[in-house]
Amino acid sequence: MQQVSRMLMKLFQRARLEKPGQVDRRAAEFTLSLLVAMYDRSGTGYVKTRSAAAALISLSGDTLLAKYRAFFQFYAVPDGKATLITRSALRSLLTDLNQIPAIVGEGCTRSCVEIAIHDCFHGVLNAAIVEEKFLSWLRLEPAVLLWLPTCYRLSATEMVSHQARCR
């Protein structure tokens, strides 16, 4: 938890420098509280760095493609010339990401994670998949992660303005 706390302090300190007046001075504290609520429900004082990173990536202002690529980088394993994501790694990623909607009572069951893994690996004979297969599956907006592109679209349209008048 200390490592995650230090990482958040540095992250938000840089953000305050880049965007003066736009970042709350307690942002690191609030974010750590959220991460603890999501990933340390039993109060062990331990939050996996990879889980915290997945949450931060998903809540970032990056594009969906950038988020998907980052997920792959954090959860995939090198295998000779290629980097691959296994069923086990995908299970970890989906379980970690599903803690986000779960915190507001919208999480899914373990079976929906297993269905998503089955769908992702449909027609795959190998034990792992390459990044392009992973990305193409995510572009189909699997139900288990439907909240992610939905939140992205909502945030992307927040600043849109138009000259039309509504009645």
Side-chain angles (χ1 to χ4, degrees):
M1 194 112 64
Q2 291 172 346
Q3 182 181 4
V4 172
S5 179
R6 282 192 302 272
M7 175 188 68
L8 290 171
M9 295 288 236
K10 288 178 187 176
L11 176 78
F12 285 110
Q13 184 176 32
R14 273 186 283 177
R16 271 193 297 281
L17 292 172
E18 289 176 20
K19 303 204 182 249
Q22 294 184 26
V23 179
D24 190 293
R25 61 182 174 75
R26 298 169 300 169
E29 175 189 337
F30 293 151
T31 305
L32 183 61
S33 293
L34 177 63
L35 293 172
V36 167
M38 289 189 301
Y39 299 113
D40 187 26
R41 293 190 179 162
S42 56
T44 62
Y46 179 76
V47 173
K48 290 181 187 174
T49 306
R50 188 169 73 170
S51 301
L56 293 173
I57 291 164
S58 67
L59 298 172
S60 76
D62 247 334
T63 65
L64 281 174
L65 182 58
K67 292 177 188 194
Y68 295 161
R69 288 186 190 279
F71 293 149
F72 187 85
Q73 289 174 350
F74 270 94
Y75 286 81
V77 291
D79 183 48
K81 296 177 188 173
T83 303
L84 307 169
I85 195 161
T86 63
R87 284 175 171 84
S88 174
L90 182 57
R91 184 176 295 107
S92 294
L93 171 62
L94 295 177
T95 301
D96 287 345
L97 289 177
N98 273 299
Q99 299 312 304
I100 297 168
I103 201 74
V104 293
E106 294 294 329
C108 79
T109 63
R110 176 169 268 179
S111 64
C112 70
V113 169
E114 293 305 320
I115 290 168
I117 294 166
H118 177 75
D119 289 348
C120 181
F121 280 82
H122 181 73
V124 175
L125 301 175
N126 299 331
I129 56 173
V130 295
E131 184 177 23
E132 196 49 49
K133 169 72 174 152
F134 176 72
L135 295 175
S136 65
W137 173 70
L138 286 171
R139 284 185 194 111
L140 296 174
E141 297 186 0
V144 70
L145 291 178
L146 193 54
W147 62 269
L148 188 57
T150 301
C151 289
Y152 171 76
R153 287 184 189 107
L154 285 171
S155 70
T157 60
E158 278 182 341
M159 303 310 284
V160 173
S161 65
H162 55 81
Q163 300 302 318
R165 293 181 130 193
C166 300
R167 289 188 177 188

